[in-house]
Amino acid sequence: MKKYKGFLFDLDGTLVDSLPAVVRAWSRWAERHGIPAEEVLGFIHGKPAMSSLRHFMPGESEEAIQAEFRWLERLEAEDTHGVRAIPGAVNLLASLNAQQIPWAIVTSGSVPVAHARHKAAGLPLPEVFITAENITHGKPHPEPYLLGAERLGLSPTECIVVEDAPAGIIAGLDAGCAVVAVNPPADAPRGDALLLRVDTLEPLRVEKSSAGDVALTTVD
């Protein structure tokens, strides 16, 4: 039986409901570029903004892409209307802190955007906060979760990743972590490899043993 020691949480869609803000920002960007909003929104979920911009701006210079990134980043950092904690997030993180269980946030967002949404949701500060600035390869590459585990001083196999997006689920599994999927799409990949699948964080309960091992269960 695997023994777990800590948690690695995605932010948007996992700890924070920022979907309305994401839709507003990326829909405006899509309109600027004459791209159907549904096409953009269907691609971006769980991926770094720069990866998405490069996907939709083939052939454009790096300078042009960086300019669009700055425009989008400013918009997303300033617009936190409706951003709130996912049900159960505050209580779960408080339980981890009370039991001194290590946890980190591992997000594809940049510092301004991630910190604005984290603050708007009223979440406690993590011991480790991995953002787009810390990584070379974003999700679905495993690098973000490998780095999160390393910064917590844990091996990936000792970590439970909590994710909502297919890209993040793949990243967590490929990093060697156990993965809990929170309200994932019906066609989310590798469902048979998940540790748990839940609709929100509310049913999750965590208990730390005297040996420091973490048990994760759900309640009705």
Side-chain angles (χ1 to χ4, degrees):
M1 183 176 178
K2 288 187 177 180
K3 295 182 178 181
Y4 304 112
K5 302 288 187 182
F7 286 82
L8 304 171
F9 292 93
D10 175 50
L11 183 64
D12 294 285
T14 300
L15 291 175
V16 172
D17 179 4
S18 57
L19 185 59
V22 171
V23 169
R24 287 193 297 269
W26 280 96
S27 294
R28 283 185 60 183
W29 184 86
E31 184 180 4
R32 272 165 57 94
H33 292 268
I35 304 171
E38 59 270 19
E39 181 179 341
V40 173
L41 295 172
F43 180 85
I44 64 170
H45 195 46
K47 302 181 182 74
M50 284 297 293
S51 298
S52 297
L53 291 173
R54 290 191 176 104
H55 174 82
F56 287 107
M57 299 175 66
E60 293 286 349
S61 68
E62 188 64 18
E63 182 180 3
I65 294 172
Q66 289 286 349
E68 289 301 294
F69 174 78
R70 289 191 294 272
W71 180 90
L72 186 65
E73 181 181 58
R74 183 169 57 254
L75 183 63
E76 290 197 282
E78 292 173 353
D79 179 10
T80 58
H81 179 69
V83 172
R84 58 186 179 86
I86 291 287
V90 172
N91 287 341
L92 177 59
L93 298 181
S95 175
L96 297 182
N97 284 341
Q99 298 179 73
Q100 297 184 324
I101 296 171
W103 63 279
I105 290 176
V106 181
T107 177
S108 295
S110 65
V111 166
V113 178
H115 285 197
R117 290 176 180 169
H118 175 271
K119 181 180 179 181
L123 299 176
L125 283 171
E127 180 179 345
V128 171
F129 206 139
I130 303 296
T131 63
E133 290 85 350
N134 302 121
I135 58 173
T136 302
H137 305 289
K139 302 170 189 177
H141 195 281
E143 180 189 347
Y145 283 120
L146 292 172
L147 180 59
E150 179 185 332
R151 294 277 179 90
L152 285 182
L154 301 173
S155 72
T157 57
E158 292 177 315
C159 295
I160 297 174
V161 163
V162 187
E163 261 284 359
D164 72 306
I169 291 170
I170 293 171
L173 291 172
D174 285 353
C177 305
V179 175
V180 173
V182 183
N183 194 30
D187 59 351
R190 298 165 68 178
D192 57 343
L194 296 174
L195 181 65
L196 285 172
R197 184 191 295 258
V198 293
D199 292 332
T200 72
L201 299 176
E202 287 186 299
L204 294 181
R205 298 291 184 271
V206 179
E207 186 172 347
K208 183 179 178 181
S209 73
S210 58
D213 299 324
V214 172
L216 180 66
T217 58
T218 60
V219 297
D220 295 330

